[in-house]
Structures are given as structure tokens and as C-alpha cells.
Amino acid sequence: MPTQNKDKYTTEQKRKAAHIEDSYESKGVSRGEAEARAWATVNKQSGGGEKKGGSGTKKPASAKSHDRKDSAKRAVSAKHGSPRNTSGQSLDSQTKVDLMQRARGLNIAGRSTMTKQELISAIRKAA
């Protein structure tokens, strides 16, 4: 039996339940059964009445923005692949691409405009 007090439901949920109830009644289902099925459907789809705080709350915009940036960073690092295992090689024998990836990992500023020798010097200073 559906709850009589529908104050906790949003107007959209009430509208949806009324529409579902009308649909069931037009198919020949009794009024009480149609109402019960309609509210059961609304509860299943939306989780019940309107949520006020607690575990059903949405993230604030700032948290969403932060999560999107983190996700984008992970996607870029996955796209470029992790730097090759060059720990055993000397810096002089590595390619400029490998050195750039290593400099990126060390957060060396200005790395994109550096020559190979400048990258080697900067990496040695940072490490």
C-alpha cells in the first residue's frame, strides 16, 4: 500500500506517478492497484522522495572540476604511456623524447623549449 503523505516527493515525481497511474487505469487496472504500481515505479526509478543531504547529495561544482582535471591528467599520461625504463641508461644515451618525459615527471619548467643538452643539465640538477 502506498504511503498517503507525498510531501517529500518533487513535483516531477508526482507528475510522473500521475501519468503512470493514468496509463495503468486506461489498461483496465483498478484505481488502487494503478496508484500502487505508479508509486512503486517512481520509487524504483528515483529512489523515493526528495533527498535532503546525507549520502544522496551531489558533489559541489568545485569537487567536480577538480575530479575532471585529475581524470584528464590520467588520460593524458595513459595516452603518452609511462616513460620507458631508462634508469639504467646514462642521460647522454637517451633520446630527447625520453628526456622530455623524465623532465615532465620532475616538473621542470621551460622543458619544451630546451635542447637535449639543456634537458640533461636540468634533470641532473633536479635529481
Side-chain angles (χ1 to χ4, degrees), residues 1-17 36 38-52:
M1 183 105 214
T3 305
Q4 298 302 317
N5 187 355
K6 305 291 188 215
D7 293 340
K8 296 282 186 187
Y9 290 90
T10 64
T11 55
E12 181 184 358
Q13 289 169 320
K14 291 176 186 176
R15 217 174 26 249
K16 185 183 278 189
W39 284 107
T41 303
V42 169
N43 287 335
K44 177 132 182 151
Q45 290 176 348
S46 63
E50 186 177 3
K51 304 287 187 247
K52 300 270 187 193

Side-chain angles (χ1 to χ4, degrees), residues 20 49 127:
I20 294 169

Side-chain angles (χ1 to χ4, degrees), residues 47-106:
E50 186 177 3
K51 304 287 187 247
K52 300 270 187 193
S55 64
T57 59
K58 295 180 179 180
K59 283 186 178 181
S62 60
K64 286 182 188 178
S65 175
H66 181 264
D67 288 348
R68 275 194 294 276
K69 287 178 184 173
D70 284 349
S71 178
K73 287 179 184 176
R74 285 192 307 274
V76 168
S77 67
K79 179 181 176 184
H80 293 297
S82 58
R84 294 183 213 156
N85 187 5
T86 55
S87 57
Q89 295 179 340
S90 69
L91 293 176
D92 295 318
S93 65
Q94 294 181 25
T95 66
K96 185 173 179 184
V97 173
D98 291 336
L99 294 169
M100 287 289 285
Q101 287 181 335
R102 195 160 175 184
R104 184 182 302 124
L106 294 170

